[in-house]
Amino acid sequence: MADYELLTLDRRDDGVAVITLANGKVNALSQELLAEIRVAVGELTADLPGAVVVTGGDRLLAAGADISQFGGPDEAAKIAEGFHSTLDALAALPRFVIAAVSGYALGGGCELALACDYRIASEKAVFGQPEILLGIIPGGGGTQRLPRTIGVSRAKEMCITGRQVRADEALRIGLADEVVAHDQLHERALALATQVAAGALAAQAIAKRVIDEGRSTSLADGLMLERAAFVEVFATEDSQIGVASFLEHGPGKASFTGH
Ligand code: COA
């Protein structure tokens, strides 16, 4: 395993991998932290876990890009490249990736959470794209993943006013998928990840891929993707196990191999 200074990567016996950001007071997503996340995602891609949890400290997931690294357009190009390559790699992991958001998820922190498949928020969580208050715009995918998650008009309002959204509103608008008591956050994220990690992983990966690919196609093209993927999934070992188990023992009893 690589040496990390700004995060920890914990590969648990139950198949869940936990990435915990640990970069100073506010987990600023500096170029160095983004590089470490890329290495961690590379490790996970090379040796896939069953599910992934991405989390931060007790008070925040991350306060966004490291503002002290900002400059002019040249620095901006490097920062956008750093964010996009990192968050695209995270989003492309063929496993269910859960963001556990304890508190502030601002700017790049919100964009990191949006690159995950599912967001579990503490009741203390606060999401926002406050870049506009610095006279800039989101550069880590916020202008694209946020409207695809909460709708165009709500995303515009958040990006154009910089207004921060608390957990209850985040749940209502679909920015958070669940809100739990603060002290239950990690327990709930790990319970869901553990359940998913014991599932039919090859089929999960196909479902994730088709849903993601379908978001940027027409309905007709998306349905064609699904048709091909539905055939593909029947070539997996788990589809044989799952169907046979259902016929013999009823629903939900299958022990999958992940293949
Ligand atoms: N990049 C670099 N440094 C940051 C930072 C960021 N995104 N966010 C906070 N910091 C620094 C602060 O400058 C401060 O540094 P100091 O201790 O040397 O003075 C330290 O982190 C703590 O921040 P502070 O604002 O005092 O803490 P807080 O608990 O009152 O508030 C936040 C925490 C996250 C709500 C607040 O810092 C914030 O709004 N940060 C900026 C978020 C943002 O605009 N992100 C988008 C970036 S494009």
Side-chain angles (χ1 to χ4, degrees):
M1 212 194 263
D3 280 336
Y4 298 101
E5 288 181 5
L6 306 174
L7 59 80
T8 59
L9 172 59
D10 180 19
R11 301 195 69 134
R12 295 158 42 103
D13 293 341
D14 57 11
V16 175
V18 183
I19 297 175
T20 306
L21 308 187
N23 183 20
K25 274 191 216 165
V26 296
N27 273 338
L29 288 155
S30 61
Q31 289 294 329
E32 294 76 14
L33 176 52
L34 290 171
E36 288 202 7
I37 297 172
R38 281 198 297 280
V39 173
V41 170
E43 269 195 52
L44 296 178
T45 306
D47 181 11
L48 287 169
V52 181
V53 174
V54 177
T55 192
D58 185 55
R59 235 188 110 235
L60 43 76
L61 175 67
D66 187 340
I67 298 170
S68 71
Q69 295 183 334
F70 285 6
D74 291 346
E75 288 83 2
K78 286 185 196 127
I79 290 167
E81 159 59 24
F83 267 98
H84 285 192
S85 58
T86 305
L87 298 188
D88 287 354
L90 178 68
L93 273 172
R95 291 292 182 265
F96 194 57
V97 181
I98 299 167
V101 182
S102 61
Y104 291 109
L106 299 178
C110 188
E111 291 165 316
L112 171 67
L114 286 164
C116 299
D117 298 307
Y118 194 78
R119 286 156 290 285
I120 303 180
S122 150
E123 61 205 347
K124 294 185 181 171
V126 179
F127 296 82
Q129 297 289 165
E131 292 86 350
I132 204 77
L133 304 175
L134 281 75
I136 61 171
I137 68 165
T143 66
Q144 303 306 308
R145 290 197 176 96
L146 187 63
R148 283 168 166 80
T149 306
I150 65 170
V152 168
S153 46
R154 286 188 173 120
K156 283 180 182 164
E157 187 268 338
M158 282 183 67
C159 291
I160 283 172
T161 66
R163 185 175 68 86
Q164 297 178 5
V165 167
R166 295 188 172 282
D168 53 348
E169 182 181 355
L171 181 65
R172 187 162 48 75
I173 65 178
L175 184 44
D177 299 293
E178 292 183 29
V179 175
V180 298
H182 189 72
D183 62 2
Q184 297 292 305
L185 178 67
H186 291 287
E187 201 176 311
R188 170 61 191 146
L190 287 172
L192 178 59
T194 304
Q195 178 200 332
V196 167
L201 297 177
Q204 290 177 13
I206 293 171
K208 171 171 170 168
R209 192 192 75 216
V210 177
I211 290 170
D212 283 340
E213 286 179 3
R215 291 204 314 183
S216 48
T217 66
S218 66
L219 176 62
D221 287 348
L223 289 171
M224 289 310 289
L225 289 173
E226 183 189 84
R227 194 186 286 206
F230 188 68
V231 173
E232 182 188 343
V233 80
F234 272 85
T236 64
E237 194 173 285
D238 282 344
S239 70
Q240 303 303 312
I241 293 171
V243 173
S245 170
F246 179 89
L247 294 175
E248 223 171 298
H249 310 294
K253 304 256 172 32
S255 290
F256 292 111
T257 65
H259 300 293

